[in-house]
Amino acid sequence: MTFATLGLIEPLLRSLETLGYQTPTPVQAQAIPAVLAGRDLMAAAQTGTGKTAGFALPLLQLLAMEGPKVAANSVRALILVPTRELAEQVHEAVRQYAENLPLRTYAVYGGVSINPQMMKLRGGVDLLVATPGRLLDLFRQNALKFNQLQTLVLDEADRMLDLGFSEELASIYRALPKKRQTLLFSATFSDDIRLLAGQMLNDPLSIEVSPRNVAANTVKQWIVTVDKKRKPELFVHLMRKGKWKQVLVFAKTRNGVDALVEKLQGLGVNADGIHGDKPQATRQRALDRFKIGEVQILVATDVAARGLDIEDLPLVVNFDLPIVAEDYIHRIGRTGRAGATGEAISLVCADEVNLLSAIEMLTRQTLKRQNEPEFEPEHRVPDTDASGQVIKKPKKPKKPKVSGGGGKRNLGKWVDSGDAAPVEPAVKPVRKVPVFNTGPRKRKP
Ligand code: AMP
């Protein structure tokens, strides 16, 4: 199969040739003809599967072949994305695909001045990539009209809900014409997303190119167990031992990101961090420098977990496990993209055992443990498996400890009593059946 047999026009085929895309990926093979035929789409595709081209190519073709010239302050196709980085990335891909077409494309997002965006929109834009908040600001300030809108794309739809954008999305839908084509893309599909899809999509074609909620099988994954306080030391040890050149590291909190970056910089390592407290320009600069190899270690909160395409990224390290198990898939999806191989290492301490268990259940695999001799934890991480059970070790019952801090007490209760009840999580409870059971979560990483 070729892109030509999918019905793409010559200017797009030329762009693809320049980019070196030879064969459509499975999601492209299914999405392109469907979108060209005007169908609504509900697509579950892993990160790195080529989904951006799956919706952008046919969309650009429809814009070039059909419909009126774009009017002032109008937009004909809208791609909504959850983060600013993703907006830049998707727009960059769109720009490359549209190289040989007379179409105007643009990206708007928050964290930067709104005035240049308003100026740019005056002339009208055929295809606009936007984050929901800034799009609404522009609409409310009359910088944007939607009466010419023919297609809406929701990219990373589940992430948008995770980030608490459901109200913004509802306001945006109300402002859009009822008659339109809608394409919904999401790496994972929760009940909330299915509900949203039911409200928004008209007789959608469902595409599922990979088993639901399964991480890319090109990523070699394992964990190293360690005591919480020794994680920074272990990280540095592994970094030196493995001679890591380009690593994306995920930490749970903004403070955690800053602390690790500071430690690494103190050791003379070229490290930088991105999280939601940093201005957009700083975040983008750190990411750009990481992509071209000027920054060796980029530490991030989950704001960086989705959608970012970093060419040939060899390694992702989870310095902390994510609180929401699905985020594990998105984090490790930064490596092993477009068929490349990659590695994902997670540093796991005892009070993360429930998070580990939720990840193993979601990904239907037991993560291999590879311990570092010098870093064997004092607080053992109980065994887990893909059934979601934290496995007790019945053999050596010990006397309960009488004293100890919160974390220690939890662990003590667990190991010492031989009780099969799960350890009380140190953080928010993990959803037990994350595949199908999601409530609305409001969380800004
Ligand atoms: P995405 O999942 O859209 O983020 O795409 C992941 C990566 O795959 C990007 O770097 C794309 O440029 C690349 N890519 C997408 N489609 C193809 C294709 N058909 N052939 C080769 N590379 C592709």
Side-chain angles (χ1 to χ4, degrees):
M1 189 195 302
T2 64
F3 284 104
T5 57
L6 293 178
L8 291 180
I9 53 177
E10 197 269 338
L12 289 171
L13 296 177
R14 263 192 291 142
S15 305
L16 295 178
E17 204 175 318
T18 311
L19 290 169
Y21 292 13
Q22 285 167 354
T23 322
T25 65
V27 69
Q28 291 162 2
Q30 294 181 65
I32 291 171
V35 178
L36 287 176
R39 292 288 302 265
D40 279 7
L41 218 63
M42 168 155 164
Q46 273 174 266
T47 52
T49 52
K51 66 187 166 67
T52 314
F55 60 76
L57 291 168
L59 203 58
L60 289 166
Q61 177 153 333
L62 292 178
L63 289 170
M65 310 280 289
E66 292 171 11
K69 194 173 171 315
V70 70
N73 291 104
S74 293
V75 49
R76 296 172 61 209
L78 177 61
I79 302 175
L80 285 179
V81 295
T83 65
R84 301 154 186 184
E85 284 82 4
L86 196 54
E88 274 295 335
Q89 185 179 296
V90 169
H91 182 240
E92 179 53 25
V94 163
R95 221 186 39 72
Q96 291 177 341
Y97 303 144
E99 186 78 8
N100 305 307
L101 291 171
L103 293 173
R104 278 193 248 183
T105 66
Y106 190 47
V108 293
Y109 41 82
V112 294
S113 168
I114 199 167
N115 289 337
Q117 298 179 346
M118 293 173 106
M119 301 275 282
K120 178 83 183 190
L121 290 171
R122 272 188 200 161
V125 170
D126 291 289
L127 186 154
L128 183 68
V129 186
T131 52
R134 179 52 61 94
L135 185 85
L136 269 183
D137 278 352
L138 287 160
F139 173 68
R140 287 175 178 150
Q141 296 190 44
N142 295 321
L144 255 182
K145 289 184 281 191
F146 292 126
N147 45 338
Q148 277 196 325
L149 188 106
Q150 57 193 61
T151 312
L152 169 70
V153 181
L154 288 162
D155 192 14
E156 311 272 8
D158 49 350
R159 185 60 162 180
M160 280 197 260
L161 294 190
D162 282 351
L163 290 175
F165 282 131
S166 54
E167 275 169 32
E168 280 92 344
L169 289 180
S171 303
I172 293 168
Y173 304 148
R174 281 197 292 276
L176 299 181
K178 293 280 163 288
K179 195 171 168 302
R180 55 158 205 264
Q181 186 178 24
T182 307
L183 317 175
L184 190 148
F185 281 78
S186 187
T188 49
F189 268 82
S190 62
D191 278 353
D192 290 335
I193 291 292
R194 288 177 194 280
L195 197 69
L196 185 76
Q199 291 160 354
M200 291 182 50
L201 304 177
N202 176 21
D203 184 25
L205 182 77
S206 278
I207 295 181
E208 194 162 348
V209 293
S210 53
R212 197 183 291 140
N213 292 336
V214 174
N217 54 16
T218 48
V219 182
K220 192 175 155 209
Q221 305 159 53
W222 75 90
I223 68 169
V224 185
T225 60
V226 64
D227 284 331
K228 191 183 207 157
K229 61 179 187 302
R230 296 196 71 198
K231 278 191 179 186
E233 208 187 324
L234 172 63
F235 181 88
V236 172
H237 166 80
L238 292 172
M239 177 186 77
R240 289 183 173 147
K241 185 174 145 191
K243 299 192 173 55
W244 292 347
K245 297 234 160 35
Q246 193 193 26
V247 194
L248 180 59
V249 186
F250 288 101
K252 197 164 54 189
T253 63
R254 297 163 188 198
N255 286 343
V257 169
D258 291 340
L260 184 60
V261 169
E262 206 171 296
K263 179 173 174 79
L264 293 170
Q265 286 176 343
L267 293 169
V269 178
N270 207 339
D272 206 343
I274 53 176
H275 56 62
D277 271 351
K278 299 206 174 203
Q280 178 56 22
T282 315
R283 278 160 60 173
Q284 192 65 46
R285 193 167 53 244
L287 184 64
D288 290 344
R289 292 184 61 228
F290 181 65
K291 283 186 179 182
I292 58 172
E294 279 179 19
V295 164
Q296 178 190 352
I297 297 195
L298 186 67
V299 191
T301 55
D302 279 302
V303 79
R306 288 283 190 112
L308 300 184
D309 182 31
I310 300 160
E311 215 170 311
D312 297 328
L313 178 67
L315 177 62
V316 167
V317 173
N318 290 310
F319 187 81
D320 301 307
L321 287 183
I323 290 169
V324 177
E326 280 100 333
D327 282 344
Y328 177 82
I329 298 174
H330 302 302
R331 287 178 174 192
I332 73 162
R334 301 306 100 221
T335 178
R337 286 162 81 72
T341 54
E343 286 180 335
I345 307 174
S346 302
L347 313 190
V348 182
C349 64
D351 62 9
E352 290 175 308
V353 68
N354 272 12
L355 305 179
L356 174 64
S357 169
I359 288 165
E360 292 183 332
M361 188 165 71
L362 179 69
T363 59
R364 299 179 202 129
Q365 62 182 341
T366 305
L367 290 169
K368 201 170 145 245
R369 295 183 179 211
Q370 198 163 298
N371 286 344
E372 279 301 311
E374 299 288 303
F375 291 87
E376 300 275 6
E378 253 173 59
H379 302 284
R380 205 182 68 82
V381 180
D383 289 339
T384 48
D385 69 22
S387 71
Q389 291 292 310
V390 178
I391 301 158
K392 63 172 182 173
K393 283 253 163 178
K395 38 186 182 179
K396 270 201 297 182
K398 290 184 205 157
K399 281 189 203 143
K401 283 183 183 146
V402 268
S403 61
K408 220 173 182 171
R409 198 162 48 236
N410 283 342
L411 183 81
K413 175 179 159 198
W414 224 92
V415 176
D416 295 345
S417 66
D419 185 352
V423 179
E424 269 180 34
V427 288
K428 280 199 304 195
V430 184
R431 285 170 293 125
K432 277 294 163 200
V433 191
V435 183
F436 299 112
N437 174 22
T438 53
R441 274 165 283 143
K442 306 233 172 192
R443 187 166 63 77
K444 301 224 183 237

